[in-house]
Short mmCIF file of all heavy atoms in Angstrom, two decimals:
data_model
loop_
_atom_site.label_atom_id
_atom_site.label_comp_id
_atom_site.label_asym_id
_atom_site.label_seq_id
_atom_site.Cartn_x
_atom_site.Cartn_y
_atom_site.Cartn_z
N MET Z 6 -2.77 -55.95 22.50
CA MET Z 6 -2.52 -57.39 22.50
C MET Z 6 -2.08 -57.84 21.12
O MET Z 6 -2.42 -57.24 20.12
CB MET Z 6 -3.78 -58.14 22.92
CG MET Z 6 -3.61 -58.84 24.23
SD MET Z 6 -4.99 -59.86 24.77
CE MET Z 6 -6.45 -59.03 24.25
N LYS Z 7 -1.35 -58.95 21.12
CA LYS Z 7 -0.75 -59.44 19.88
C LYS Z 7 -1.15 -60.90 19.67
O LYS Z 7 -1.23 -61.68 20.63
CB LYS Z 7 0.77 -59.32 20.03
CG LYS Z 7 1.58 -59.60 18.82
CD LYS Z 7 3.04 -59.24 19.11
CE LYS Z 7 3.95 -59.75 18.03
NZ LYS Z 7 4.00 -61.19 17.92
N VAL Z 8 -1.38 -61.26 18.41
CA VAL Z 8 -1.75 -62.63 18.05
C VAL Z 8 -0.47 -63.42 17.78
O VAL Z 8 0.40 -62.96 17.05
CB VAL Z 8 -2.61 -62.63 16.76
CG1 VAL Z 8 -2.93 -64.05 16.34
CG2 VAL Z 8 -3.88 -61.83 16.97
N ASP Z 9 -0.41 -64.60 18.36
CA ASP Z 9 0.73 -65.47 18.13
C ASP Z 9 0.22 -66.86 17.76
O ASP Z 9 -0.69 -67.38 18.41
CB ASP Z 9 1.54 -65.54 19.43
CG ASP Z 9 3.02 -65.64 19.16
OD1 ASP Z 9 3.46 -65.14 18.12
OD2 ASP Z 9 3.72 -66.22 20.00
N VAL Z 10 0.79 -67.44 16.72
CA VAL Z 10 0.40 -68.80 16.31
C VAL Z 10 1.59 -69.72 16.49
O VAL Z 10 2.71 -69.41 16.07
CB VAL Z 10 -0.05 -68.83 14.83
CG1 VAL Z 10 -0.29 -70.26 14.38
CG2 VAL Z 10 -1.32 -68.00 14.65
N ASP Z 11 1.35 -70.84 17.15
CA ASP Z 11 2.39 -71.87 17.28
C ASP Z 11 2.29 -72.76 16.04
O ASP Z 11 1.46 -73.67 15.96
CB ASP Z 11 2.16 -72.67 18.56
CG ASP Z 11 3.27 -73.69 18.79
OD1 ASP Z 11 4.03 -73.98 17.83
OD2 ASP Z 11 3.37 -74.19 19.91
N PHE Z 12 3.13 -72.46 15.06
CA PHE Z 12 3.05 -73.18 13.79
C PHE Z 12 3.49 -74.65 13.93
O PHE Z 12 3.22 -75.45 13.05
CB PHE Z 12 3.88 -72.46 12.72
CG PHE Z 12 3.27 -71.15 12.31
CD1 PHE Z 12 3.75 -69.95 12.81
CD2 PHE Z 12 2.20 -71.12 11.43
CE1 PHE Z 12 3.17 -68.74 12.44
CE2 PHE Z 12 1.61 -69.92 11.05
CZ PHE Z 12 2.11 -68.73 11.56
N ALA Z 13 4.14 -74.98 15.03
CA ALA Z 13 4.55 -76.37 15.24
C ALA Z 13 3.35 -77.26 15.52
O ALA Z 13 3.40 -78.47 15.26
CB ALA Z 13 5.54 -76.44 16.40
N ILE Z 14 2.26 -76.68 16.02
CA ILE Z 14 1.09 -77.51 16.33
C ILE Z 14 -0.12 -77.18 15.46
O ILE Z 14 -1.10 -77.91 15.46
CB ILE Z 14 0.71 -77.45 17.83
CG1 ILE Z 14 0.39 -76.01 18.26
CG2 ILE Z 14 1.81 -78.03 18.68
CD1 ILE Z 14 -0.13 -75.93 19.70
N CYS Z 15 -0.05 -76.09 14.70
CA CYS Z 15 -1.14 -75.72 13.78
C CYS Z 15 -1.30 -76.82 12.74
O CYS Z 15 -0.31 -77.33 12.20
CB CYS Z 15 -0.79 -74.41 13.10
SG CYS Z 15 -1.84 -74.00 11.69
N GLU Z 16 -2.56 -77.21 12.47
CA GLU Z 16 -2.81 -78.27 11.49
C GLU Z 16 -3.39 -77.72 10.19
O GLU Z 16 -3.90 -78.48 9.37
CB GLU Z 16 -3.71 -79.35 12.08
CG GLU Z 16 -5.09 -78.85 12.46
CD GLU Z 16 -5.95 -79.93 13.12
OE1 GLU Z 16 -5.41 -80.93 13.60
OE2 GLU Z 16 -7.18 -79.74 13.15
N SER Z 17 -3.34 -76.41 10.00
CA SER Z 17 -3.73 -75.77 8.74
C SER Z 17 -5.13 -76.15 8.28
O SER Z 17 -5.35 -76.40 7.10
CB SER Z 17 -2.71 -76.09 7.63
OG SER Z 17 -1.47 -75.50 7.92
N ASN Z 18 -6.06 -76.16 9.21
CA ASN Z 18 -7.44 -76.48 8.81
C ASN Z 18 -8.23 -75.23 8.43
O ASN Z 18 -9.34 -75.33 7.92
CB ASN Z 18 -8.16 -77.23 9.94
CG ASN Z 18 -8.10 -76.48 11.23
OD1 ASN Z 18 -8.22 -75.26 11.26
ND2 ASN Z 18 -7.91 -77.19 12.33
N GLY Z 19 -7.67 -74.05 8.69
CA GLY Z 19 -8.29 -72.81 8.23
C GLY Z 19 -9.46 -72.31 9.04
O GLY Z 19 -10.10 -71.33 8.65
N LEU Z 20 -9.74 -72.92 10.16
CA LEU Z 20 -10.89 -72.46 10.96
C LEU Z 20 -10.70 -71.03 11.43
O LEU Z 20 -11.65 -70.24 11.45
CB LEU Z 20 -11.11 -73.40 12.16
CG LEU Z 20 -11.62 -74.79 11.79
CD1 LEU Z 20 -11.65 -75.69 13.02
CD2 LEU Z 20 -13.02 -74.69 11.18
N CYS Z 21 -9.49 -70.68 11.80
CA CYS Z 21 -9.23 -69.31 12.27
C CYS Z 21 -9.44 -68.31 11.13
O CYS Z 21 -9.96 -67.21 11.36
CB CYS Z 21 -7.82 -69.18 12.84
SG CYS Z 21 -6.52 -69.71 11.71
N ALA Z 22 -9.06 -68.68 9.91
CA ALA Z 22 -9.25 -67.79 8.76
C ALA Z 22 -10.73 -67.59 8.48
O ALA Z 22 -11.15 -66.52 8.04
CB ALA Z 22 -8.53 -68.35 7.54
N GLY Z 23 -11.52 -68.61 8.74
CA GLY Z 23 -12.96 -68.47 8.58
C GLY Z 23 -13.56 -67.54 9.62
O GLY Z 23 -14.45 -66.75 9.33
N ALA Z 24 -13.03 -67.61 10.84
CA ALA Z 24 -13.56 -66.79 11.93
C ALA Z 24 -13.06 -65.36 11.86
O ALA Z 24 -13.78 -64.42 12.21
CB ALA Z 24 -13.17 -67.41 13.27
N ALA Z 25 -11.82 -65.17 11.42
CA ALA Z 25 -11.21 -63.83 11.40
C ALA Z 25 -10.40 -63.66 10.12
O ALA Z 25 -9.17 -63.65 10.13
CB ALA Z 25 -10.33 -63.65 12.64
N PRO Z 26 -11.08 -63.48 8.98
CA PRO Z 26 -10.38 -63.43 7.69
C PRO Z 26 -9.47 -62.22 7.52
O PRO Z 26 -8.59 -62.23 6.66
CB PRO Z 26 -11.52 -63.42 6.66
CG PRO Z 26 -12.73 -62.99 7.41
CD PRO Z 26 -12.54 -63.42 8.83
N ALA Z 27 -9.67 -61.18 8.32
CA ALA Z 27 -8.78 -60.02 8.22
C ALA Z 27 -7.47 -60.25 8.97
O ALA Z 27 -6.52 -59.49 8.81
CB ALA Z 27 -9.48 -58.78 8.77
N VAL Z 28 -7.44 -61.30 9.77
CA VAL Z 28 -6.26 -61.56 10.61
C VAL Z 28 -5.49 -62.78 10.13
O VAL Z 28 -4.26 -62.79 10.14
CB VAL Z 28 -6.70 -61.75 12.08
CG1 VAL Z 28 -5.51 -62.11 12.96
CG2 VAL Z 28 -7.39 -60.47 12.58
N PHE Z 29 -6.23 -63.82 9.71
CA PHE Z 29 -5.59 -65.08 9.31
C PHE Z 29 -5.93 -65.39 7.85
O PHE Z 29 -7.06 -65.17 7.41
CB PHE Z 29 -6.09 -66.24 10.18
CG PHE Z 29 -5.91 -66.05 11.65
CD1 PHE Z 29 -6.96 -65.57 12.43
CD2 PHE Z 29 -4.71 -66.35 12.27
CE1 PHE Z 29 -6.81 -65.39 13.79
CE2 PHE Z 29 -4.55 -66.17 13.64
CZ PHE Z 29 -5.60 -65.69 14.40
N ASP Z 30 -4.95 -65.96 7.16
CA ASP Z 30 -5.19 -66.38 5.77
C ASP Z 30 -4.52 -67.72 5.54
O ASP Z 30 -3.37 -67.95 5.95
CB ASP Z 30 -4.62 -65.35 4.80
CG ASP Z 30 -4.85 -65.76 3.35
OD1 ASP Z 30 -6.03 -65.85 2.95
OD2 ASP Z 30 -3.86 -66.00 2.65
N LEU Z 31 -5.26 -68.61 4.90
CA LEU Z 31 -4.70 -69.91 4.52
C LEU Z 31 -4.47 -69.86 3.01
O LEU Z 31 -5.42 -69.68 2.23
CB LEU Z 31 -5.70 -71.02 4.88
CG LEU Z 31 -5.16 -72.44 4.92
CD1 LEU Z 31 -4.14 -72.60 6.05
CD2 LEU Z 31 -6.30 -73.44 5.09
N ASP Z 32 -3.22 -70.01 2.59
CA ASP Z 32 -2.95 -69.88 1.16
C ASP Z 32 -3.26 -71.19 0.43
O ASP Z 32 -3.66 -72.19 1.04
CB ASP Z 32 -1.53 -69.36 0.90
CG ASP Z 32 -0.44 -70.38 1.21
OD1 ASP Z 32 -0.74 -71.59 1.29
OD2 ASP Z 32 0.72 -69.94 1.37
N GLU Z 33 -3.07 -71.17 -0.89
CA GLU Z 33 -3.46 -72.33 -1.69
C GLU Z 33 -2.61 -73.56 -1.41
O GLU Z 33 -2.97 -74.68 -1.79
CB GLU Z 33 -3.43 -71.97 -3.18
CG GLU Z 33 -2.08 -71.46 -3.64
CD GLU Z 33 -2.18 -70.73 -4.98
OE1 GLU Z 33 -3.29 -70.32 -5.37
OE2 GLU Z 33 -1.13 -70.56 -5.62
N ASP Z 34 -1.47 -73.36 -0.74
CA ASP Z 34 -0.64 -74.50 -0.33
C ASP Z 34 -0.89 -74.90 1.12
O ASP Z 34 -0.10 -75.65 1.72
CB ASP Z 34 0.84 -74.15 -0.50
CG ASP Z 34 1.20 -73.93 -1.96
OD1 ASP Z 34 0.69 -74.68 -2.81
OD2 ASP Z 34 1.97 -72.99 -2.25
N ASP Z 35 -2.00 -74.39 1.67
CA ASP Z 35 -2.37 -74.70 3.05
C ASP Z 35 -1.37 -74.19 4.08
O ASP Z 35 -1.18 -74.80 5.13
CB ASP Z 35 -2.59 -76.21 3.25
CG ASP Z 35 -3.93 -76.66 2.69
OD1 ASP Z 35 -4.76 -75.78 2.37
OD2 ASP Z 35 -4.13 -77.87 2.58
N ASN Z 36 -0.72 -73.10 3.75
CA ASN Z 36 0.14 -72.44 4.73
C ASN Z 36 -0.64 -71.30 5.37
O ASN Z 36 -1.22 -70.47 4.66
CB ASN Z 36 1.41 -71.88 4.07
CG ASN Z 36 2.29 -72.97 3.52
OD1 ASN Z 36 2.60 -73.94 4.20
ND2 ASN Z 36 2.68 -72.84 2.26
N LEU Z 37 -0.61 -71.27 6.69
CA LEU Z 37 -1.33 -70.22 7.39
C LEU Z 37 -0.45 -68.98 7.52
O LEU Z 37 0.74 -69.09 7.84
CB LEU Z 37 -1.74 -70.71 8.79
CG LEU Z 37 -2.55 -69.69 9.60
CD1 LEU Z 37 -3.93 -69.53 9.01
CD2 LEU Z 37 -2.62 -70.09 11.05
N HIS Z 38 -1.05 -67.81 7.29
CA HIS Z 38 -0.33 -66.54 7.45
C HIS Z 38 -1.13 -65.64 8.40
O HIS Z 38 -2.35 -65.59 8.32
CB HIS Z 38 -0.19 -65.84 6.10
CG HIS Z 38 0.53 -66.65 5.08
ND1 HIS Z 38 1.90 -66.72 5.02
CD2 HIS Z 38 0.07 -67.46 4.10
CE1 HIS Z 38 2.26 -67.53 4.04
NE2 HIS Z 38 1.16 -68.00 3.46
N VAL Z 39 -0.41 -64.97 9.26
CA VAL Z 39 -1.04 -63.95 10.10
C VAL Z 39 -0.90 -62.63 9.36
O VAL Z 39 0.21 -62.12 9.17
CB VAL Z 39 -0.36 -63.88 11.48
CG1 VAL Z 39 -1.01 -62.79 12.33
CG2 VAL Z 39 -0.46 -65.23 12.20
N LEU Z 40 -2.02 -62.10 8.91
CA LEU Z 40 -2.01 -60.89 8.10
C LEU Z 40 -1.81 -59.64 8.96
O LEU Z 40 -1.26 -58.65 8.51
CB LEU Z 40 -3.34 -60.76 7.34
CG LEU Z 40 -3.71 -61.94 6.43
CD1 LEU Z 40 -5.11 -61.74 5.87
CD2 LEU Z 40 -2.69 -62.09 5.31
N ASN Z 41 -2.30 -59.72 10.18
CA ASN Z 41 -2.26 -58.56 11.07
C ASN Z 41 -2.23 -59.11 12.49
O ASN Z 41 -3.20 -59.72 12.93
CB ASN Z 41 -3.52 -57.71 10.84
CG ASN Z 41 -3.71 -56.67 11.92
OD1 ASN Z 41 -2.76 -56.30 12.61
ND2 ASN Z 41 -4.93 -56.20 12.07
N ASP Z 42 -1.11 -58.94 13.19
CA ASP Z 42 -0.99 -59.59 14.51
C ASP Z 42 -1.43 -58.69 15.66
O ASP Z 42 -1.27 -59.04 16.81
CB ASP Z 42 0.43 -60.12 14.73
CG ASP Z 42 1.46 -59.02 14.90
OD1 ASP Z 42 1.10 -57.83 14.84
OD2 ASP Z 42 2.64 -59.36 15.09
N ARG Z 43 -2.01 -57.53 15.33
CA ARG Z 43 -2.47 -56.62 16.38
C ARG Z 43 -3.96 -56.81 16.66
O ARG Z 43 -4.78 -56.76 15.74
CB ARG Z 43 -2.24 -55.17 15.97
CG ARG Z 43 -0.78 -54.80 15.92
CD ARG Z 43 -0.23 -54.63 17.33
NE ARG Z 43 1.21 -54.90 17.34
CZ ARG Z 43 1.92 -55.11 18.44
NH1 ARG Z 43 1.33 -55.09 19.62
NH2 ARG Z 43 3.19 -55.36 18.38
N VAL Z 44 -4.29 -57.03 17.92
CA VAL Z 44 -5.69 -57.12 18.30
C VAL Z 44 -6.19 -55.70 18.57
O VAL Z 44 -5.62 -54.97 19.38
CB VAL Z 44 -5.87 -57.99 19.56
CG1 VAL Z 44 -7.34 -58.09 19.93
CG2 VAL Z 44 -5.28 -59.37 19.33
N THR Z 45 -7.23 -55.32 17.84
CA THR Z 45 -7.79 -53.98 17.95
C THR Z 45 -9.29 -54.09 18.26
O THR Z 45 -9.87 -55.17 18.12
CB THR Z 45 -7.61 -53.22 16.62
OG1 THR Z 45 -8.40 -53.87 15.61
CG2 THR Z 45 -6.14 -53.19 16.18
N PRO Z 46 -9.90 -52.99 18.64
CA PRO Z 46 -11.36 -53.04 18.88
C PRO Z 46 -12.12 -53.54 17.65
O PRO Z 46 -13.18 -54.14 17.78
CB PRO Z 46 -11.71 -51.59 19.20
CG PRO Z 46 -10.45 -51.02 19.78
CD PRO Z 46 -9.33 -51.68 19.02
N ASP Z 47 -11.57 -53.30 16.46
CA ASP Z 47 -12.24 -53.72 15.23
C ASP Z 47 -12.23 -55.23 15.02
O ASP Z 47 -13.13 -55.78 14.38
CB ASP Z 47 -11.57 -53.07 14.00
CG ASP Z 47 -11.98 -51.62 13.85
OD1 ASP Z 47 -12.94 -51.20 14.51
OD2 ASP Z 47 -11.32 -50.92 13.07
N ASN Z 48 -11.17 -55.89 15.49
CA ASN Z 48 -11.07 -57.32 15.18
C ASN Z 48 -11.11 -58.22 16.41
O ASN Z 48 -11.04 -59.44 16.29
CB ASN Z 48 -9.81 -57.60 14.34
CG ASN Z 48 -8.52 -57.38 15.11
OD1 ASN Z 48 -8.50 -57.35 16.34
ND2 ASN Z 48 -7.41 -57.25 14.39
N GLU Z 49 -11.22 -57.65 17.59
CA GLU Z 49 -11.05 -58.48 18.79
C GLU Z 49 -12.12 -59.57 18.92
O GLU Z 49 -11.80 -60.69 19.36
CB GLU Z 49 -10.96 -57.63 20.06
CG GLU Z 49 -12.21 -56.88 20.43
CD GLU Z 49 -12.04 -56.10 21.74
OE1 GLU Z 49 -11.11 -56.40 22.51
OE2 GLU Z 49 -12.85 -55.21 21.99
N ASP Z 50 -13.34 -59.29 18.53
CA ASP Z 50 -14.38 -60.33 18.63
C ASP Z 50 -14.04 -61.50 17.71
O ASP Z 50 -14.16 -62.67 18.09
CB ASP Z 50 -15.75 -59.77 18.26
CG ASP Z 50 -16.31 -58.86 19.35
OD1 ASP Z 50 -15.72 -58.80 20.44
OD2 ASP Z 50 -17.33 -58.20 19.10
N GLN Z 51 -13.61 -61.18 16.48
CA GLN Z 51 -13.26 -62.24 15.52
C GLN Z 51 -12.03 -63.02 16.00
O GLN Z 51 -11.97 -64.24 15.86
CB GLN Z 51 -12.98 -61.64 14.14
CG GLN Z 51 -14.23 -61.09 13.48
CD GLN Z 51 -14.00 -60.67 12.04
OE1 GLN Z 51 -12.86 -60.56 11.59
NE2 GLN Z 51 -15.06 -60.43 11.31
N VAL Z 52 -11.05 -62.31 16.56
CA VAL Z 52 -9.84 -62.99 17.03
C VAL Z 52 -10.18 -63.94 18.17
O VAL Z 52 -9.72 -65.08 18.21
CB VAL Z 52 -8.78 -61.96 17.47
CG1 VAL Z 52 -7.64 -62.66 18.21
CG2 VAL Z 52 -8.23 -61.20 16.26
N HIS Z 53 -11.01 -63.50 19.09
CA HIS Z 53 -11.39 -64.37 20.20
C HIS Z 53 -12.16 -65.59 19.69
O HIS Z 53 -12.02 -66.70 20.21
CB HIS Z 53 -12.19 -63.60 21.26
CG HIS Z 53 -11.32 -62.76 22.13
ND1 HIS Z 53 -11.31 -61.38 22.10
CD2 HIS Z 53 -10.39 -63.08 23.05
CE1 HIS Z 53 -10.43 -60.92 22.96
NE2 HIS Z 53 -9.85 -61.93 23.55
N GLU Z 54 -12.98 -65.38 18.67
CA GLU Z 54 -13.70 -66.51 18.08
C GLU Z 54 -12.72 -67.48 17.43
O GLU Z 54 -12.88 -68.71 17.52
CB GLU Z 54 -14.73 -66.00 17.07
CG GLU Z 54 -15.58 -67.07 16.42
CD GLU Z 54 -16.43 -67.85 17.42
OE1 GLU Z 54 -16.67 -67.39 18.55
OE2 GLU Z 54 -16.86 -68.97 17.05
N ALA Z 55 -11.70 -66.96 16.77
CA ALA Z 55 -10.68 -67.82 16.15
C ALA Z 55 -9.95 -68.63 17.23
O ALA Z 55 -9.72 -69.84 17.05
CB ALA Z 55 -9.68 -66.97 15.36
N VAL Z 56 -9.61 -67.99 18.32
CA VAL Z 56 -8.95 -68.71 19.43
C VAL Z 56 -9.87 -69.82 19.93
O VAL Z 56 -9.43 -70.95 20.16
CB VAL Z 56 -8.60 -67.74 20.58
CG1 VAL Z 56 -8.14 -68.50 21.82
CG2 VAL Z 56 -7.54 -66.73 20.14
N ARG Z 57 -11.15 -69.51 20.06
CA ARG Z 57 -12.11 -70.48 20.58
C ARG Z 57 -12.26 -71.66 19.62
O ARG Z 57 -12.38 -72.81 20.06
CB ARG Z 57 -13.46 -69.78 20.77
CG ARG Z 57 -14.44 -70.55 21.63
CD ARG Z 57 -15.79 -69.87 21.67
NE ARG Z 57 -16.49 -69.92 20.40
CZ ARG Z 57 -17.10 -71.00 19.92
NH1 ARG Z 57 -17.09 -72.11 20.61
NH2 ARG Z 57 -17.71 -70.96 18.75
N GLN Z 58 -12.23 -71.39 18.33
CA GLN Z 58 -12.47 -72.46 17.35
C GLN Z 58 -11.24 -73.31 17.06
O GLN Z 58 -11.37 -74.42 16.52
CB GLN Z 58 -12.96 -71.86 16.03
CG GLN Z 58 -14.38 -71.36 16.09
CD GLN Z 58 -14.92 -71.01 14.71
OE1 GLN Z 58 -14.45 -71.48 13.68
NE2 GLN Z 58 -15.93 -70.17 14.69
N CYS Z 59 -10.06 -72.82 17.36
CA CYS Z 59 -8.85 -73.58 16.99
C CYS Z 59 -8.78 -74.89 17.77
O CYS Z 59 -8.63 -74.89 18.99
CB CYS Z 59 -7.60 -72.76 17.27
SG CYS Z 59 -6.09 -73.69 16.88
N PRO Z 60 -8.88 -76.02 17.07
CA PRO Z 60 -8.90 -77.30 17.77
C PRO Z 60 -7.54 -77.69 18.36
O PRO Z 60 -7.46 -78.56 19.22
CB PRO Z 60 -9.32 -78.28 16.68
CG PRO Z 60 -8.90 -77.65 15.41
CD PRO Z 60 -9.00 -76.16 15.62
N ARG Z 61 -6.50 -77.03 17.89
CA ARG Z 61 -5.15 -77.34 18.38
C ARG Z 61 -4.69 -76.40 19.48
O ARG Z 61 -3.59 -76.54 19.99
CB ARG Z 61 -4.17 -77.25 17.20
CG ARG Z 61 -4.52 -78.15 16.04
CD ARG Z 61 -4.28 -79.60 16.37
NE ARG Z 61 -2.84 -79.82 16.57
CZ ARG Z 61 -2.31 -80.93 17.02
NH1 ARG Z 61 -3.09 -81.94 17.34
NH2 ARG Z 61 -1.01 -81.05 17.17
N ARG Z 62 -5.51 -75.42 19.79
CA ARG Z 62 -5.10 -74.38 20.76
C ARG Z 62 -3.76 -73.78 20.37
O ARG Z 62 -2.87 -73.59 21.21
CB ARG Z 62 -5.06 -74.93 22.19
CG ARG Z 62 -6.43 -75.41 22.67
CD ARG Z 62 -6.37 -75.73 24.16
NE ARG Z 62 -7.67 -76.18 24.66
CZ ARG Z 62 -8.66 -75.37 25.02
NH1 ARG Z 62 -8.50 -74.07 24.95
NH2 ARG Z 62 -9.79 -75.86 25.47
N ALA Z 63 -3.63 -73.50 19.08
CA ALA Z 63 -2.35 -73.00 18.55
C ALA Z 63 -2.25 -71.48 18.58
O ALA Z 63 -1.18 -70.93 18.33
CB ALA Z 63 -2.16 -73.49 17.12
N ILE Z 64 -3.39 -70.82 18.84
CA ILE Z 64 -3.39 -69.35 18.83
C ILE Z 64 -3.35 -68.83 20.26
O ILE Z 64 -4.17 -69.20 21.08
CB ILE Z 64 -4.66 -68.81 18.14
CG1 ILE Z 64 -4.83 -69.44 16.75
CG2 ILE Z 64 -4.60 -67.29 18.04
CD1 ILE Z 64 -6.20 -69.17 16.14
N SER Z 65 -2.38 -67.94 20.51
CA SER Z 65 -2.34 -67.31 21.83
C SER Z 65 -2.31 -65.80 21.65
O SER Z 65 -1.91 -65.28 20.61
CB SER Z 65 -1.14 -67.80 22.64
OG SER Z 65 0.04 -67.60 21.91
N LEU Z 66 -2.77 -65.12 22.68
CA LEU Z 66 -2.79 -63.66 22.69
C LEU Z 66 -1.86 -63.18 23.80
O LEU Z 66 -1.98 -63.63 24.94
CB LEU Z 66 -4.22 -63.15 22.93
CG LEU Z 66 -5.27 -63.66 21.95
CD1 LEU Z 66 -6.64 -63.12 22.33
CD2 LEU Z 66 -4.92 -63.28 20.52
N THR Z 67 -0.93 -62.33 23.43
CA THR Z 67 0.04 -61.85 24.40
C THR Z 67 0.00 -60.33 24.47
O THR Z 67 -0.39 -59.67 23.52
CB THR Z 67 1.47 -62.29 24.02
OG1 THR Z 67 1.74 -61.84 22.69
CG2 THR Z 67 1.62 -63.80 24.07
N ASP Z 68 0.41 -59.78 25.60
CA ASP Z 68 0.43 -58.33 25.77
C ASP Z 68 1.61 -57.70 25.06
O ASP Z 68 2.62 -58.33 24.85
CB ASP Z 68 0.46 -57.97 27.25
CG ASP Z 68 -0.89 -58.24 27.90
OD1 ASP Z 68 -1.92 -58.11 27.22
OD2 ASP Z 68 -0.88 -58.61 29.08
S1 SF4 L 19 -7.56 -72.81 13.60
FE1 SF4 L 19 -5.67 -73.36 14.68
S2 SF4 L 19 -5.01 -75.25 13.74
FE2 SF4 L 19 -6.49 -74.31 12.36
S3 SF4 L 19 -5.28 -73.10 10.91
FE3 SF4 L 19 -5.87 -71.76 12.59
S4 SF4 L 19 -4.15 -71.85 14.05
FE4 SF4 L 19 -3.97 -73.60 12.68
#
């Protein structure tokens, strides 16, 4: 599975980076970066938590 962020609706609040810091990073200019877009057994719990916490529903997981 792959992580996809809809940057058009992301509000750069960093909640996903807090939930999954190995996958999402918010830089000092409040720009969100996807560091690793692959969902693996190592990060899947954190990624699902990031999806759950995103208030904009901007994160989707695709096959
Ligand atoms: S939690 Fe959602 S709205 Fe917030 S930075 Fe992440 S993708 Fe953007």
